[in-house]
Structures are given as structure tokens and as C-alpha cells.
Amino acid sequence: YKLGALPFEILVEDGQWDSYLPIYEPQAEKYETWGCTAWGAQNQIETYFKKVFNFEPNYNEIFTYIKAGIGIGGANPQNAYESIRKDGLLNYDLIPFPNTFEEFIKTDVTQFEVKAKKWLQDYDFYHEWLEKPTKNTIKEMLKVSPIAVGVTAWYEDGEFYIDKGLPNTHWCLAYGYKNTKYGIALKIFDTYD
């Protein structure tokens, strides 16, 4: 979906979603998963749900990871969003986190497909892309939704992380912004410490 295809409703007037952030879940606690697109998408959804539906869901990233076809090196975020739109979401506790990456990528999720699709009976899932957004555009759209963003991971410069002009390599959640002497800085909820 392209920006503007869906009607906008201002949900957080100041664009600061700090009070609605989800439970922190690292994508690489035991090993690297390259699953930032699944984690970032679900962090966005869980944050939105906490505000709009007044409850805090915790969905299973493994299910989305497998259904979206994510693997070593990561994936296009569109794959994760389309998987959620078509396959639904599953509660976190239904698939335990495997001890090794080899077990992780071989997780059989077929037994959970019907249960995940039940989520789609309760919710219609749409997503839109901000094409070539500026930080000002993101700042304005944060009034409507938390925004998942591509970033360049991770080059620290004082209290900020910067891209050094390099391509985006990571998908995470922008949940607010700060006006700084350098301009707008996005506040990021990530899947790494």
C-alpha cells in the first residue's frame, strides 16, 4: 500500500509512543537470526496495539520468520509484512526459542498455521510505505502510527547513531523523535541492546 491509500487518524498528538513500547526481545540472544524484519514489524504492531486496543500482545517472531522466508543475511521487510497480512500472528509462548540457529531455521510451524490465521478473523492488517521519507515526514506520521524504519547499524557518534552515508542494513522501530541542534533525531526501539 502506498502512503495516503488509507485514511489517517491521529492517535498520538505529539508523535511520542514511549508509553506504548512492547516487551524487549532480542533477535540475537543465543545466536544471530538475521530476523530484524520480523522483530521490527512485530514491535511496530505490538506498540500500535498497546495504544489502540489497550492491551499488550506478544507475538511469536519465529512463526513470522519462517513464513516470510527470512534466512541468513536477512530479508526485505515487505516479506514480513505480507506474511503477517496473509498468515496472521501467533502468540509468543506457542513456539519455544530453539537452542541453536540450525534448530531455529528448521522450526516446523505448519501445526500453528490455522491458529495464526484466527488472528486475521479479529484484525485486518494493512501497511503503508513512506517512499523516500524525510525526518519531517516521519515526525508527522508518528502521530498516526509507530513507524518501522531502515537504518544503518550501528555507528555511534556521541549520543547518536549515524549512517555515515552508508546503506541501510537493519529494520527497527522509530517510536518518537527529538529536536536537536543537528535537526530531528529519531528515537529507536531496537532488537539489540
Side-chain angles (χ1 to χ4, degrees):
Y1 299 92
K2 302 293 184 204
L3 177 62
L6 301 174
F8 295 133
E9 177 185 353
I10 294 183
L11 298 173
V12 177
E13 187 65 43
D14 64 0
Q16 306 293 345
W17 291 78
D18 305 58
S19 299
Y20 310 105
L21 292 175
I23 298 165
Y24 171 72
E25 295 171 298
Q27 75 175 60
E29 185 170 23
K30 296 179 180 182
Y31 41 82
E32 180 54 66
T33 63
W34 293 277
C36 62
T37 56
W39 268 260
Q42 288 190 14
N43 283 339
Q44 184 182 19
I45 292 165
E46 291 167 359
T47 300
Y48 184 88
F49 268 48
K50 193 171 179 181
K51 166 62 177 161
V52 174
F53 299 116
N54 202 29
F55 76 94
E56 187 169 11
N58 188 8
Y59 297 117
N60 191 291
E61 291 84 4
I62 299 169
F63 180 81
T64 300
Y65 183 101
I66 299 296
K67 294 300 288 181
I70 301 168
I72 293 173
N76 183 326
Q78 177 71 5
N79 298 354
Y81 286 92
E82 282 299 293
S83 172
I84 294 165
R85 189 176 73 80
K86 293 176 182 175
D87 303 315
L89 288 169
L90 189 69
N91 284 340
Y92 178 82
D93 60 351
L94 294 178
I95 303 175
F97 209 88
N99 289 321
T100 67
F101 181 67
E102 291 73 25
E103 294 171 308
F104 178 89
I105 60 172
K106 292 180 182 175
T107 301
D108 181 7
V109 300
T110 55
Q111 64 183 314
F112 301 107
E113 289 174 346
V114 171
K115 189 175 283 288
K117 281 202 183 262
K118 287 183 180 177
W119 185 85
L120 296 173
Q121 294 172 0
D122 293 328
Y123 304 104
D124 291 322
F125 181 69
Y126 300 98
H127 59 283
E128 295 190 77
W129 296 100
L130 301 173
E131 293 188 11
K132 298 181 182 177
T134 64
K135 287 184 184 174
N136 276 321
T137 304
I138 294 171
K139 178 181 171 181
E140 284 305 306
M141 293 311 297
L142 280 165
K143 295 176 181 180
V144 175
S145 175
I147 308 288
V149 294
V151 299
T152 304
W154 286 116
Y155 297 100
E156 197 168 355
D157 183 13
E159 64 179 300
F160 300 101
Y161 289 94
I162 59 172
D163 65 14
K164 289 189 169 188
L166 298 172
N168 293 337
T169 56
H170 186 53
W171 192 249
C172 52
L173 176 67
Y175 64 91
Y177 62 90
K178 291 181 181 181
N179 292 311
T180 73
K181 64 182 178 181
Y182 305 108
I184 297 169
L186 298 177
K187 297 192 297 189
I188 297 296
F189 183 81
D190 196 18
T191 54
Y192 291 98
D193 291 337

